[in-house]
Amino acid sequence: MQRIFGSSALAALRHRNFRLFYFGQMISVIGFWMQNVAQSWVVLEMTNSPFLLGLVTFVQFVPNLAFSLAAGVFADRFPRRTLIVGTQTGFMLLAFLLTVLSGTGALRYWHIVFISSFMGILHAVDIPARQAFLVEMVGREDLSNAIALNSSMFNAARVLGPALGGMVLARYGATTCFLSNAVSYLFVIAGLLVMTIDKRVIKQQKKDMLTQIKDGINYIKTTPTVLIPMALLASVSISAMNFGVLVPVFARTVLGQGPEGFGVLVSSLGTGSLAGAMVLVVFGNKCNQLKFLWAGAAGLSLFQILLGQMQWFWPSAALLAGAGWSMVSLSASVNSIIQMQVPDELRGRVMSIYSLSFIGLSSVGGMLAGAVARWFGATVAFTAGGSLALLVTLWLARRWHLAKCSYGS
């Protein structure tokens, strides 16, 4: 096994625990994207409202705004594997509930909102725990490679899941997509349970939760090489990472596509993301991370602006692929830059703020993008979001230069 995964590009896969996590998560994330495609299409058919579709995205990820900081404290106080097994089990049960409601014809819009809100609470705990757990599987030496490989896994599934979800949705209906997702969680739960993990020494904290949260925030505020990338991710997330809301509306109202065309567009986004992740696996060393950071933010902004001017299917798919490459280059670079600096005793709290910046604020952006798309159309929403993201990127790049940050030098 050492011989197979001996190259630096696959260094993290030398670790048995990470291999179990990697392949189990891949199956699970494929199922998640199948459900996501089906759910978005079902909501549009039920409501014919981009705004209500944005509301589903909002309630699914807004708990990151409310609970992620506290969840970061949990990830530092308690065994991270136990937390992840609990959240993945919760996701599986919610997917089975969605399957039953859809299969019996009882599914209504409020059911989807209710289930999505519970999923959001689980995500708030799961994301910082899962990100902080990476170092326990591979150690600090292979951590950057594990982050890049984890991103490649997620984005490979993001290519396969929507394409498969679009085909299954068109042929067998949404219920089969929901059931596939529910079953997929069994693989990641099984992988987590058979891992052999060294017991992490958890210091008994005399501080209350609020003080511990402040410790994480103060670390970010006083570390410019963490603060500026985090601010960049947060601002771009709220303005330019609203594909879950805008792509189905864009596919249906601008390009005149059905479920299969929608699946192809989402898969194009995932294909670009996978390409970006694979480039990071090979070239994402410390010296190159800043290049990917700023190129990703600028590229995502420009591709969104171009999408706002597009009315043809295949050029739109190509632009979405470029946006996917840019998005993963930005998010994975921020993740690596932060995790390679943060002390382990603060890792859960800092990664909870990363989750808040990446996931929580994008839910607010999704709500706003849905409102803009409702009143002015998806093309205006793409153009406005990309323009705002580009302005913020240029401003923060100047702040980085003025702060004379030396990361990677």
Side-chain angles (χ1 to χ4, degrees):
M1 197 64 68
Q2 293 287 338
R3 188 179 305 167
I4 296 173
F5 301 120
S7 70
S8 59
L10 301 175
L13 288 172
R14 294 178 298 186
H15 302 270
R16 173 180 176 270
N17 289 335
F18 185 74
R19 291 196 303 273
L20 290 168
F21 175 83
Y22 185 87
F23 294 111
Q25 277 284 115
M26 177 174 284
I27 295 170
S28 176
V29 176
I30 289 173
F32 168 81
W33 280 106
M34 291 179 67
Q35 174 170 304
N36 196 57
V37 165
Q39 180 173 288
S40 295
W41 200 259
V42 166
V43 169
L44 271 182
E45 287 191 330
M46 280 182 176
T47 67
N48 197 33
S49 170
F51 176 78
L52 292 178
L53 176 59
L55 180 61
V56 170
T57 303
F58 179 76
V59 300
Q60 183 170 343
F61 294 113
V62 74
N64 273 275
L65 297 171
F67 301 119
S68 64
L69 296 179
V73 175
F74 295 152
D76 287 333
R77 282 185 178 180
F78 302 108
R80 291 161 183 163
R81 177 172 62 169
T82 302
L83 288 174
I84 299 167
V85 169
T87 57
Q88 297 294 309
T89 302
F91 289 136
M92 180 179 66
L93 295 175
L94 289 173
F96 273 122
L97 176 59
L98 196 56
T99 302
V100 172
L101 289 170
S102 178
T104 58
L107 186 63
R108 299 292 182 269
Y109 175 75
W110 72 267
H111 292 142
I112 295 174
V113 172
F114 181 80
I115 291 171
S116 294
S117 64
F118 272 91
M119 287 180 64
I121 294 170
L122 293 173
H123 273 296
V125 178
D126 182 74
I127 295 172
R130 191 154 33 90
Q131 292 293 337
F133 187 55
L134 288 173
V135 74
E136 295 184 44
M137 291 186 282
V138 302
R140 189 175 287 269
E141 180 183 356
D142 293 327
L143 178 59
S144 184
N145 181 248
I147 292 169
L149 283 170
N150 191 51
S151 181
S152 73
M153 170 272 296
F154 180 87
N155 288 293
R158 192 175 186 172
V159 174
L160 297 172
L164 184 58
M167 291 187 291
V168 172
L169 177 63
R171 186 163 186 177
Y172 301 106
T175 302
T176 304
C177 293
F178 300 151
L179 178 61
S180 299
N181 183 41
V183 172
S184 73
Y185 285 108
L186 295 172
F187 293 89
V188 66
I189 293 170
L192 287 163
L193 291 176
V194 300
M195 287 182 184
T196 303
I197 297 290
D198 293 334
K199 188 173 182 180
R200 179 168 62 98
V201 177
I202 303 174
K203 297 179 181 179
Q204 293 296 322
Q205 293 285 346
K206 296 181 180 179
K207 301 177 181 178
D208 58 33
M209 179 176 289
L210 184 59
T211 302
Q212 288 185 270
I213 291 173
K214 288 180 179 178
D215 288 343
I217 294 173
N218 287 335
Y219 169 79
I220 294 172
K221 287 171 62 177
T222 57
T223 312
T225 52
V226 173
L227 175 62
I228 294 176
M230 191 83 83
L232 178 66
L233 181 65
S235 56
V236 174
S237 292
I238 199 171
S239 58
M241 291 190 185
N242 305 311
F243 299 105
V245 174
L246 295 182
V247 172
V249 180
F250 187 72
R252 191 178 185 190
T253 62
V254 178
L255 303 179
Q257 297 295 311
E260 290 184 344
F262 169 46
V264 170
L265 291 175
V266 180
S267 291
S268 297
L269 183 68
T271 300
S273 300
L274 176 59
M278 297 308 296
V279 170
L280 284 170
V281 167
V282 179
F283 299 108
N285 55 52
K286 187 176 181 179
C287 294
N288 290 330
Q289 283 171 354
L290 285 178
K291 298 175 185 176
F292 287 117
L293 176 79
W294 297 110
L300 181 59
S301 306
L302 293 171
F303 284 122
Q304 282 230 8
I305 292 170
L306 291 172
L307 275 166
Q309 321 311 312
M310 188 57 59
Q311 295 183 347
W312 298 280
F313 180 77
W314 289 112
S316 297
L319 289 172
L320 282 168
W325 181 91
S326 303
M327 184 167 58
V328 77
S329 295
L330 170 62
S331 61
S333 295
V334 173
N335 194 333
S336 293
I337 288 169
I338 292 171
Q339 289 233 48
M340 293 303 293
Q341 299 179 78
V342 64
D344 191 57
E345 63 269 17
L346 291 171
R347 191 176 302 276
R349 278 163 282 177
V350 172
M351 294 316 295
S352 72
I353 298 172
Y354 170 87
S355 170
L356 177 65
S357 302
F358 187 25
I359 305 298
L361 291 181
S362 68
S363 67
V364 177
M367 190 79 167
L368 296 173
V372 173
R374 179 184 180 184
W375 293 107
F376 304 104
T379 55
V380 173
F382 272 133
T383 303
S387 299
L388 180 59
L390 183 59
L391 290 173
V392 173
T393 298
L394 293 172
W395 181 72
L396 285 173
R398 179 169 174 77
R399 289 290 302 273
W400 180 277
H401 177 71
L402 292 175
K404 300 185 184 300
C405 292
S406 59
Y407 183 89
S409 62

